[in-house]
Amino acid sequence: ASKKKKKQNSPLALFLVSLAFMYFAKAFAGAYMKSSITQIERRFDIPSSLTGVIDGSFEMGNLLVIAFVSYFGAKLHRPRLIGIGCLVMAAGSFIVALPHFLQDPYKYETSMSHNTEANSTESILPCLSKHNLTETPDVAAIQACEKAVGSSMWIYVFLGNMLRGIGETPSMPLGISYLDDFSRQENTPFYLACIYTTGMLGPMVGFMLGSYLAKTYVDVGFVDLDSITITYKDSRWVGAWWLGFIVNGTVILLSSIPFFFLPKSLPKQGEEEDGCKKSTELASGPEQEGFLFIPDHWRLSFALMVCSLPDFVPSLKRLFRNSIYTMIILTNLVAVNAFVGMITFKPKFMEQIYGQAASRANFLIGIMNLPAVALGFITGGFVLKRFKLGVVGAARVSISASLGAFCMLSLQGFFHCDNAEVAGLTVAYQGYPQVSYHHSTLLSPCNMGCSCSMKHWDPVCAYNGVTYASPCLAGCQTSTGTGKAMVFHNCTCIDTSTSPAANMSAVLGQCPRRTECDEKFKIYMALSVLGAFISACGGTPGYIVLLRSIQPDLKSLALGMQTLIVRTLGGIPPPIYFGALIDRTCLKWGTKQCGGRGACRLYDSNAFRFTFLGLIIGLYILANMLWGVLYVKIAKRQKKLVLRGQAKKNGVEANRLSNGHASISIVKYKEDANMESTI
C-alpha cells in the first residue's frame, strides 16, 4: 500500500516541482523586464508613458487569450498547455532582444566631440565652440536619420513582451487548479506557499542580473569601451539590457520540458480516479496522450471546445452572482494597481529621489526587498497551516497585512533628499535670482557669450557640488585630459564668491548627492523592506480566501476571470498613467540623435515624490476600505453557515424532510455552502 501511495504521489510531486521552477522562470523574466525599464527608455529615447505601454503589453497578451484558456483549458491536457505556453514565452523573450542586433551602435547625447586619443595634445574649447542656435531643422534629413537609426525599434520590445504575456496565460489558472484538484485540501496552502516562495527567487535573480548588466555597456563587444566618456551613473548610460532577455528566454525554454511528460489527470490521494467519461468515449488512450502532436486530435480538442461553449455564459452568471467573489476581484484590482505602479517605477524613484545609480537600485531591490517578500509568503502560509485558520481567519490575516504595509508606505514619504543642484534648473547661477521650476532657463550672463545649445545634456560637476548642463553652459574656456578623465578649466559660471582662490574647474558627470542623503536612504530602505514583508504575509491567505469562496466546478473559470480582470485593469493602465504623470515632473528632456524630445534626464524630485507616493498611498487607502467591507461580508456568511449547521444537527433538516421539502432544502444548503446566502 505504501508503494502504491508513493507511486500515486510521484507525478503530483513532479508537477509541483515543475510548476515551481516554471514560476521561478517566468518571475525571473518579469522582474528583469521591470529592472530594464530605465535602460529601454534611454536606449530608444522614449518617455516614461511609452515605456509604461511597453510594460503593459505583457498584460495585453494575457487579455487576448486568458478567458478561453482558463475555461476550455480545464477540459484539455493542462500540463501540456502549460508547456506550450512556456515555449511561447521563450520566443517572446528572444524577440524583445532582437532590436539590439538590428540597430546601429548606441550614440549617447553630447554637446561636443570628446577626444579619446591619449597621445593627442588637442585641447577642446567648449565656450569658444561655434554653436548655431537658430538652425532650422531639415525635415527630410530628420526622417532619413530616424529611419537609419531605427527609432521605432521599440515596437519589437512591445510585441515580444505581448507574446510573453500570451505564453504565460496557462500557468496560473491551469497550474493552480490542477494542483488543487489532485492534492488534499489541507495541503493546498502549503503547496501554494512553496510555489510562490520558489517563484520569488525569480525576481531576486532577475533584479540581480539587471543590476549587473546595468553596469555593462549596451554595445559591449561591439565598440571600443575606452571611447566611452560616460559612466554607469550617468543618466545617458545604457546597460546591456538585451543580454538578460536571451538568458531568461533560455531558462523558460528549459522549464517547459517536464510538462510534456505529465499525465492529463492524477488520482487524488485516498480517492478513486473517476476520469472523464465523455473524453474516453470520444478517444482511445493513445489518442488522448498524443492529441497535442497529431493534427487529427486537435480536431477532437476543437470539438470539445464547441460543445462546452453553451455552458460558458451560464457559468459566468453563476460566478458573478457570488458577491464575495466580486468584492475580492475589486479589492485585488485596486491593490494590484498600486503594486504594479510601484514596482515599475521604484528603481527610477530611487535614482531620482536618492541619487542612486540604476544598477544599485536594482541590486538593492533584488537583495533586500524580494527576500523579505519571499519570507512573507512563507510566514503567511505557515500561519494558516499552524493555526488551521478558515476563510475568516485568512481574511483577518490579509487585512492586517494590508494595513501594516500602508503604515510603512506612509512613513517613507517623510525621509527624502532635496533636489539635485543643477544650475539654471533647480538652483540659480552665481549672483542671479533663484530659478522657478516652471520658468527655468539654462542661459545666464556668465555663459551668454558662448552661444551654447540648450538642448543637449552633457553634465559637468563643479567643485562646489553644483551640476551644469554642459561644459559650455558652465562657461568653461579650456580642457585637459581625455575620455572619462577630461577636466574643464576657467569656467566663468562657477561661483567663487565664497572663496576667491576657489577652483573654477569641472569634471564630467553629474555631482553626487550630499552625505545626509545616504542616511535618509538607509531609513527609506528599512521601511521599504519591512513593508514588503508585511504585505507579502497577506498574499497566501488572500489567495485562500479566493479559492474557498467559489464553487468547486467554477474554480478554474473563477481563477481565470480573476486573472483576466485584474491583469487587464490592474496591469495595463498603472504603468501608463504612472508614467504619464511622472513625465510631467521632468525638468530637462534629452535630445534624440535626429532631433526632437528624447528621454528625461532630470526630474523635479519633490514633484516626483508627491506624484509617485501620493498615487500609491491613495490606492492603498481605497484597498483597505474594500478589505473592510469584504471581511464583514465573509464573517456574515460564515455565521449563517454555522447557524445552519447547528440547526441541522438539532434535527431541523429532518423535520423539513418529513414535510416534503427535501429537494428545496438540499439545494439551498448547497448554494449557501459555496456562495453568499440570501435570506
Side-chain angles (χ1 to χ4, degrees):
S2 61
K3 289 183 178 180
K4 185 177 180 181
K5 181 179 180 181
K6 185 176 180 181
K7 185 177 179 182
Q8 287 179 345
N9 288 339
S10 58
L12 182 63
L14 176 61
F15 180 80
L16 179 63
V17 172
S18 302
L19 191 66
F21 181 62
M22 190 272 295
Y23 263 64
F24 163 82
K26 71 166 186 168
F28 167 39
Y32 183 76
M33 169 60 79
K34 297 292 185 185
S35 72
S36 300
I37 286 294
T38 299
Q39 311 302 323
I40 293 172
E41 181 178 318
R42 294 174 182 174
R43 181 62 183 95
F44 298 102
D45 264 325
I46 53 179
S48 296
S49 55
L50 188 51
T51 56
V53 173
I54 292 173
D55 186 66
S57 64
F58 182 88
E59 316 301 342
M60 296 177 193
N62 267 268
L63 172 63
L64 293 175
V65 295
I66 183 66
F68 296 100
V69 167
S70 301
Y71 185 71
F72 299 124
K75 304 175 185 300
L76 304 176
H77 199 303
R78 285 180 282 184
R80 287 183 180 170
L81 286 180
I82 295 171
I84 292 173
C86 290
L87 297 179
V88 175
M89 273 196 289
S93 294
F94 295 138
I95 291 174
V96 170
L98 188 61
H100 174 74
F101 302 97
L102 302 178
Q103 281 184 297
D104 294 331
Y106 173 60
K107 294 181 180 179
Y108 54 87
E109 178 186 359
T110 181
S111 61
M112 62 186 67
S113 299
H114 295 287
N115 184 19
T116 59
E117 296 180 12
N119 59 356
S120 175
T121 58
E122 180 185 355
S123 178
I124 296 176
L125 309 176
C127 183
L128 301 180
S129 299
K130 293 182 180 180
H131 297 274
N132 186 356
L133 297 180
T134 60
E135 181 181 0
T136 303
D138 186 343
V139 177
I142 290 176
Q143 291 176 348
C145 176
E146 289 179 347
K147 185 177 181 180
V149 300
S151 61
S152 298
M153 285 291 179
W154 60 267
I155 294 175
Y156 284 93
V157 183
F158 176 88
L159 295 176
N161 203 36
M162 180 179 286
L163 200 60
R164 285 182 55 245
I166 292 173
E168 193 264 355
T169 304
S171 62
M172 197 283 288
L174 302 188
I176 299 301
S177 63
Y178 187 90
L179 183 67
D180 194 50
D181 285 345
F182 304 117
S183 63
R184 288 184 179 273
Q185 182 172 333
E186 60 269 23
N187 289 334
T188 301
F190 178 72
Y191 289 156
L192 287 177
C194 290
I195 290 172
Y196 284 118
T197 302
T198 306
M200 282 310 303
L201 296 175
M204 290 172 58
V205 176
F207 275 99
M208 295 293 284
L209 181 64
S211 172
Y212 174 75
L213 294 179
K215 289 185 177 180
T216 307
Y217 191 64
V218 60
D219 293 313
V220 59
F222 296 91
V223 298
D224 179 14
L225 296 182
D226 292 333
S227 65
I228 307 303
T229 61
I230 58 176
T231 67
Y232 68 90
K233 295 181 180 180
D234 197 292
S235 61
R236 295 164 293 169
W237 175 274
V238 176
W241 61 275
W242 54 274
L243 191 56
F245 287 104
I246 294 177
V247 173
N248 61 54
T250 304
V251 173
I252 294 173
L253 193 63
L254 293 174
S255 73
S256 68
I257 297 174
F259 291 103
F260 293 102
F261 298 95
L262 285 162
K264 182 178 180 181
S265 62
L266 296 171
K268 194 158 186 172
Q269 189 174 11
E271 297 180 8
E272 293 293 329
E273 185 178 4
D274 295 329
C276 179
K277 295 180 179 180
K278 291 184 179 179
S279 61
T280 52
E281 290 173 0
L282 287 169
S284 63
E287 288 176 337
Q288 282 182 278
E289 294 298 321
F291 79 90
L292 287 175
F293 303 98
I294 304 174
D296 289 340
H297 303 140
W298 276 114
R299 289 199 292 269
L300 170 61
S301 304
F302 179 74
L304 286 172
M305 287 194 236
V306 172
C307 293
S308 303
L309 191 59
D311 300 330
F312 185 66
V313 174
S315 297
L316 277 181
K317 289 181 179 179
R318 288 174 57 209
L319 183 63
F320 284 100
R321 284 197 189 105
N322 186 341
S323 62
I324 289 182
Y325 174 77
T326 306
M327 185 60 68
I328 290 173
I329 295 295
L330 188 58
T331 305
N332 288 345
L333 181 60
V334 176
V336 168
N337 264 263
F339 174 77
V340 170
M342 177 177 65
I343 197 64
T344 302
F345 294 104
K346 188 180 181 71
K348 184 187 286 287
F349 178 80
M350 295 165 67
E351 292 172 47
Q352 296 299 323
I353 306 302
Y354 301 100
Q356 303 298 312
S359 59
R360 188 161 191 259
N362 289 330
F363 176 81
L364 291 174
I365 292 173
I367 203 70
M368 296 182 71
N369 286 77
L370 297 179
V373 172
L375 185 60
F377 275 122
I378 294 175
T379 303
F382 174 78
V383 168
L384 286 184
K385 188 173 179 65
R386 173 67 178 80
F387 297 100
K388 298 180 180 179
L389 298 178
V391 65
V392 177
R396 286 197 192 106
V397 174
S398 293
I399 192 171
S400 300
S402 181
L403 288 170
F406 168 73
C407 294
M408 294 299 103
L409 184 66
S410 300
L411 289 174
Q412 293 174 21
F414 295 100
F415 301 94
H416 61 88
C417 302
D418 295 329
N419 267 310
E421 296 184 352
V422 181
L425 291 175
T426 62
V427 296
Y429 282 93
Q430 57 162 345
Y432 299 98
Q434 175 67 34
V435 300
S436 167
Y437 295 146
H438 302 288
H439 301 92
S440 58
T441 175
L442 294 171
L443 289 179
S444 173
C446 65
N447 58 31
M448 197 69 74
C450 296
S451 300
C452 303
S453 170
M454 292 189 294
K455 292 183 178 180
H456 294 97
W457 177 257
D458 193 12
V460 292
C461 178
Y463 81 98
N464 56 0
V466 176
T467 300
Y468 295 84
S470 71
C472 181
L473 288 168
C476 300
Q477 307 297 319
T478 60
S479 68
T480 58
T482 60
K484 296 183 180 71
M486 187 176 293
V487 180
F488 299 90
H489 304 284
N490 300 324
C491 303
T492 58
C493 291
I494 296 179
D495 187 6
T496 58
S497 59
T498 56
S499 177
N503 190 351
M504 294 178 63
S505 61
V507 296
L508 285 171
Q510 194 171 335
C511 295
R513 296 295 179 93
R514 294 179 178 177
T515 309
E516 59 266 23
C517 187
D518 290 335
E519 299 301 321
K520 293 179 180 179
F521 179 66
K522 291 176 183 178
I523 299 174
Y524 163 79
M525 283 304 301
L527 292 171
S528 177
V529 170
L530 185 57
F533 168 76
I534 295 173
S535 178
C537 286
T540 303
Y543 212 85
I544 294 302
V545 171
L546 173 63
L547 287 175
R548 299 294 174 256
S549 299
I550 51 181
Q551 295 168 296
D553 61 317
L554 296 176
K555 189 181 300 178
S556 182
L557 178 62
L559 293 174
M561 291 307 299
Q562 185 247 8
T563 305
L564 169 66
I565 296 170
V566 171
R567 286 195 162 175
T568 301
L569 301 177
I572 299 175
I576 299 173
Y577 68 75
F578 267 77
L581 291 173
I582 288 172
D583 281 340
R584 295 175 65 88
T585 68
C586 184
L587 291 176
K588 180 68 177 75
W589 290 96
T591 304
K592 290 184 178 180
Q593 184 180 341
C594 303
R597 195 176 80 172
C600 185
R601 304 302 184 194
L602 181 71
Y603 292 88
D604 176 359
S605 63
N606 290 326
F608 189 113
R609 177 170 53 88
F610 288 133
T611 300
F612 183 72
L613 290 181
L615 275 174
I616 298 172
I617 290 173
L619 290 169
Y620 260 90
I621 291 173
L622 181 57
N624 286 323
M625 292 171 63
L626 291 172
W627 258 119
V629 175
L630 177 60
Y631 175 76
V632 171
K633 281 180 161 297
I634 292 174
K636 285 183 177 180
R637 188 195 69 170
Q638 290 300 113
K639 186 177 180 179
K640 291 175 183 178
L641 292 176
V642 170
L643 291 174
R644 187 165 286 109
Q646 292 175 349
K648 184 178 179 181
K649 285 183 179 180
N650 294 332
V652 173
E653 289 295 320
N655 293 333
R656 289 185 180 178
L657 287 171
S658 64
N659 291 331
H661 298 290
S663 61
I664 296 175
S665 177
I666 293 171
V667 171
K668 188 170 183 179
Y669 181 78
K670 182 180 178 181
E671 289 294 314
D672 287 339
N674 295 291
M675 59 186 296
E676 184 182 21
S677 60
T678 54
I679 299 177

